Amino acid sequence: MADAGEMTGGCLCGAVRFTLHQRPANIDVCHCSMCRKFSGGIELGVDADPDSIDWQGEENIQIYASSDWAERSFCRICGSGLFWRTRRRLGNGETLFGLCAGAIDDLGDLKLTSEIYIDHKPAGYAFAGATDKKTQAEAEAEYAAPADGGKNDQIRH
């Protein structure tokens, strides 16, 4: 059983499991076309430090390079989405890693606080409560620029 600061999760078939040792602050949403195709709707995710995750069944994690700057992972057996991450360091020197919120066993009281690619949000989608919103241009300006022009700075899993 996880302690109050930990969260557990995994894929639908159980071939991949994880323990997240640092509780995320909130839930984020992405409305981009890749996230919608990957998740079958909107992508709900939580920011995470990949070094704070213990994985079981890593051999069942498949990685797919979905763009020049990001990649997504899923269970190679059941197809459940697990995480996305930037492929190289950003202009600010950071890397980004987000767990798929649906892979977490119990989200507890985490609140949805931000949405990106808001200009791609289908008209029929609406969330209760206020969220921080970024357009595609705002999100890409913040997330997509590699620090070194993209040279050999792959982040690890």
XYZ file of all heavy atoms in Angstrom, residues 73-116:
336
model
N 4.221 6.648 -24.360
C 4.436 5.244 -24.048
C 3.114 4.564 -23.746
O 2.137 5.199 -23.358
C 5.376 5.102 -22.852
O 4.679 5.404 -21.666
N 3.135 3.256 -23.940
C 1.944 2.458 -23.690
C 2.380 1.030 -23.398
O 3.512 0.629 -23.693
C 0.995 2.503 -24.902
C 1.644 2.129 -26.210
C 1.611 0.817 -26.664
C 2.293 3.082 -26.966
C 2.218 0.472 -27.872
C 2.899 2.754 -28.175
C 2.866 1.444 -28.622
N 1.483 0.261 -22.808
C 1.752 -1.145 -22.553
C 1.716 -1.887 -23.883
O 0.742 -1.775 -24.624
C 0.722 -1.721 -21.586
S 0.838 -3.519 -21.410
N 2.751 -2.636 -24.177
C 2.805 -3.354 -25.447
C 1.826 -4.518 -25.496
O 1.562 -5.066 -26.562
C 4.219 -3.802 -25.780
C 4.755 -4.919 -24.934
C 6.146 -5.438 -25.337
N 7.176 -4.453 -25.087
C 8.006 -3.986 -26.033
N 7.947 -4.420 -27.256
N 8.912 -3.097 -25.736
N 1.238 -4.883 -24.351
C 0.265 -5.985 -24.331
C -1.158 -5.476 -24.496
O -1.884 -5.900 -25.393
C 0.402 -6.811 -23.035
C 1.791 -7.448 -22.983
C -0.695 -7.866 -22.936
C 2.153 -8.072 -21.663
N -1.592 -4.541 -23.634
C -2.989 -4.095 -23.675
C -3.188 -2.733 -24.332
O -4.312 -2.339 -24.605
C -3.584 -4.075 -22.265
S -2.880 -2.827 -21.156
N -2.102 -1.984 -24.576
C -2.207 -0.698 -25.253
C -2.513 0.490 -24.358
O -2.633 1.612 -24.849
N -2.649 0.274 -23.058
C -2.956 1.389 -22.146
C -1.860 2.442 -22.192
O -0.670 2.125 -22.126
C -3.056 0.881 -20.703
O -4.130 -0.003 -20.549
N -2.259 3.726 -22.268
C -1.316 4.826 -22.211
C -0.703 4.929 -20.825
O -1.402 4.768 -19.813
N 0.607 5.210 -20.776
C 1.315 5.286 -19.497
C 1.898 6.664 -19.231
O 1.694 7.225 -18.166
C 2.419 4.228 -19.440
C 1.925 2.782 -19.522
C 3.074 1.826 -19.786
C 1.159 2.414 -18.264
N 2.673 7.208 -20.180
C 3.284 8.520 -19.979
C 3.660 9.147 -21.301
O 3.662 8.508 -22.336
C 4.501 8.451 -19.047
C 5.660 7.626 -19.566
C 6.608 8.174 -20.420
C 5.821 6.309 -19.162
C 7.685 7.419 -20.882
C 6.893 5.552 -19.609
C 7.824 6.107 -20.474
N 3.975 10.432 -21.241
C 4.597 11.142 -22.361
C 5.793 11.873 -21.791
O 5.879 12.126 -20.590
C 3.625 12.086 -23.068
C 3.423 13.382 -22.348
C 2.544 13.629 -21.343
C 4.164 14.589 -22.546
N 2.665 14.919 -20.910
C 3.663 15.528 -21.623
C 5.200 14.965 -23.398
C 4.166 16.824 -21.545
C 5.684 16.256 -23.315
C 5.167 17.165 -22.401
N 6.744 12.191 -22.633
C 7.929 12.931 -22.195
C 8.544 13.683 -23.367
O 8.349 13.311 -24.524
C 8.964 11.994 -21.576
C 9.522 10.983 -22.544
C 10.439 10.006 -21.854
N 10.878 8.971 -22.793
C 11.467 7.856 -22.432
N 11.680 7.605 -21.156
N 11.839 6.971 -23.336
N 9.247 14.758 -23.044
C 9.990 15.460 -24.082
C 11.204 14.607 -24.437
O 11.769 13.913 -23.588
C 10.416 16.869 -23.627
O 11.061 16.795 -22.352
C 9.216 17.800 -23.544
N 11.604 14.656 -25.684
C 12.711 13.838 -26.178
C 14.060 14.480 -25.925
O 15.077 13.817 -25.989
C 12.525 13.582 -27.670
C 11.235 12.806 -27.945
C 11.018 12.569 -29.397
N 12.006 11.610 -29.869
C 12.329 11.459 -31.137
N 11.759 12.202 -32.064
N 13.212 10.566 -31.496
N 14.077 15.778 -25.684
C 15.332 16.485 -25.405
C 15.059 17.613 -24.429
O 13.919 17.957 -24.162
C 15.984 17.009 -26.675
C 15.064 17.466 -27.757
C 15.785 17.902 -29.021
N 15.844 16.949 -30.086
C 14.857 16.673 -30.916
N 13.704 17.263 -30.811
N 15.006 15.809 -31.876
N 16.104 18.175 -23.932
C 15.960 19.281 -22.981
C 15.372 20.496 -23.685
O 15.662 20.754 -24.842
C 17.302 19.628 -22.361
C 17.832 18.475 -21.538
C 18.880 18.908 -20.543
N 19.390 17.755 -19.849
C 18.794 17.162 -18.825
N 17.672 17.625 -18.367
N 19.317 16.100 -18.252
N 14.559 21.234 -22.964
C 13.932 22.438 -23.502
C 14.877 23.620 -23.404
O 15.961 23.519 -22.826
C 12.649 22.734 -22.716
C 11.655 21.575 -22.633
C 10.450 21.981 -21.828
C 11.257 21.113 -24.015
N 14.455 24.743 -23.953
C 15.270 25.954 -23.927
C 15.671 26.386 -22.531
O 16.729 26.972 -22.326
N 14.836 26.059 -21.528
C 15.167 26.421 -20.150
C 15.983 25.336 -19.448
O 16.221 25.405 -18.253
C 13.879 26.710 -19.360
C 12.953 25.517 -19.295
O 13.281 24.409 -19.697
N 11.757 25.754 -18.778
N 16.396 24.299 -20.193
C 17.210 23.229 -19.634
C 16.414 22.107 -18.998
O 16.976 21.106 -18.572
N 15.103 22.249 -18.940
C 14.259 21.244 -18.300
C 13.817 20.173 -19.291
O 13.844 20.376 -20.495
C 13.004 21.891 -17.717
C 13.266 22.826 -16.576
C 11.976 23.448 -16.054
O 10.883 23.183 -16.583
O 12.088 24.207 -15.095
N 13.426 19.052 -18.752
C 12.709 18.033 -19.508
C 11.339 17.909 -18.855
O 11.170 18.213 -17.678
C 13.432 16.678 -19.458
O 13.623 16.298 -18.102
C 14.773 16.745 -20.163
N 10.371 17.497 -19.624
C 9.023 17.328 -19.096
C 8.636 15.859 -19.162
O 8.991 15.159 -20.113
C 8.023 18.151 -19.898
C 8.253 19.655 -19.899
C 7.243 20.337 -20.812
C 8.168 20.219 -18.494
N 7.919 15.417 -18.149
C 7.461 14.027 -18.067
C 6.083 14.056 -17.437
O 5.896 14.661 -16.377
C 8.428 13.222 -17.193
C 8.093 11.761 -17.084
C 8.710 10.841 -17.905
C 7.165 11.312 -16.165
C 8.408 9.487 -17.812
C 6.850 9.966 -16.058
C 7.480 9.048 -16.880
N 5.119 13.434 -18.075
C 3.772 13.404 -17.532
C 3.183 12.012 -17.571
O 3.232 11.341 -18.597
N 2.674 11.570 -16.440
C 1.958 10.295 -16.383
C 0.537 10.488 -16.879
O -0.089 11.513 -16.597
C 1.893 9.788 -14.941
C 3.146 9.165 -14.363
C 2.970 8.932 -12.864
C 3.479 7.859 -15.068
N 0.009 9.515 -17.584
C -1.400 9.547 -17.969
C -2.225 9.384 -16.697
O -2.045 8.423 -15.951
C -1.705 8.423 -18.946
S -0.832 8.562 -20.521
N -3.106 10.336 -16.451
C -3.892 10.306 -15.221
C -4.729 9.035 -15.121
O -4.928 8.502 -14.026
C -4.787 11.540 -15.139
N -5.178 8.521 -16.246
C -5.972 7.297 -16.237
C -5.201 6.068 -15.800
O -5.799 5.058 -15.440
N -3.874 6.131 -15.827
C -3.048 5.002 -15.389
C -2.870 4.984 -13.874
O -2.406 3.994 -13.316
C -1.683 5.049 -16.076
N -3.236 6.083 -13.197
C -3.090 6.157 -11.745
C -4.307 5.509 -11.094
O -5.445 5.771 -11.479
C -2.906 7.620 -11.297
C -1.602 8.171 -11.882
C -2.906 7.732 -9.774
C -1.381 9.645 -11.664
N -4.051 4.659 -10.106
C -5.138 3.905 -9.462
C -6.174 4.795 -8.802
O -7.368 4.542 -8.912
C -4.565 2.931 -8.419
C -3.724 1.835 -9.052
O -3.974 1.457 -10.207
O -2.796 1.346 -8.363
N -5.736 5.823 -8.089
C -6.665 6.692 -7.358
C -6.107 8.114 -7.388
O -5.077 8.377 -6.775
C -6.817 6.203 -5.916
C -7.806 7.016 -5.099
O -8.357 8.028 -5.611
O -8.027 6.652 -3.932
N -6.780 9.000 -8.073
C -6.326 10.389 -8.179
C -6.639 11.207 -6.926
O -6.203 12.351 -6.808
C -6.940 11.070 -9.403
C -6.452 10.533 -10.736
C -7.313 11.050 -11.875
C -4.990 10.895 -10.951
N -7.384 10.619 -6.010
C -7.690 11.312 -4.759
C -8.345 12.650 -5.010
O -9.272 12.762 -5.800
N -7.812 13.672 -4.361
C -8.412 15.005 -4.462
C -7.666 15.925 -5.428
O -7.837 17.136 -5.374
C -8.487 15.652 -3.077
C -7.115 15.831 -2.444
O -6.105 15.353 -3.020
O -7.045 16.433 -1.364
N -6.847 15.361 -6.332
C -6.148 16.211 -7.296
C -7.159 16.967 -8.142
O -8.166 16.410 -8.584
C -5.247 15.383 -8.205
C -4.040 14.708 -7.565
C -3.234 13.960 -8.626
C -3.172 15.711 -6.842
N -6.891 18.223 -8.384
C -7.798 19.085 -9.148
C -7.218 19.375 -10.535
O -6.010 19.484 -10.704
C -7.984 20.411 -8.409
C -8.478 20.229 -6.986
C -9.797 20.899 -6.774
C -10.294 20.821 -5.361
N -10.443 19.530 -4.800
N -8.107 19.504 -11.504
C -7.719 19.912 -12.845
C -7.460 21.414 -12.808
O -8.354 22.179 -12.453
C -8.844 19.587 -13.831
C -8.500 19.755 -15.288
C -9.264 18.729 -16.105
C -8.802 21.142 -15.766
N -6.221 21.832 -13.153
C -5.888 23.254 -13.041
C -5.421 23.903 -14.336
O -5.399 25.123 -14.411
C -4.792 23.478 -11.974
O -3.610 22.768 -12.366
C -5.254 23.016 -10.601
N -5.024 23.106 -15.346
C -4.529 23.759 -16.560
C -4.909 22.983 -17.811
O -5.084 21.771 -17.776
C -3.010 23.940 -16.491
O -2.362 22.681 -16.545
N -5.013 23.733 -18.919
C -5.318 23.180 -20.233
C -4.382 23.806 -21.251
O -4.175 25.017 -21.237
C -6.755 23.501 -20.642
C -7.822 22.967 -19.721
C -9.202 23.413 -20.158
O -9.637 23.019 -21.274
O -9.838 24.161 -19.393
N -3.824 22.956 -22.118
C -3.017 23.479 -23.217
C -3.662 23.091 -24.538
O -4.500 22.213 -24.605
C -1.543 23.022 -23.148
C -1.414 21.509 -23.241
C -0.885 23.564 -21.884
C 0.028 21.033 -23.390
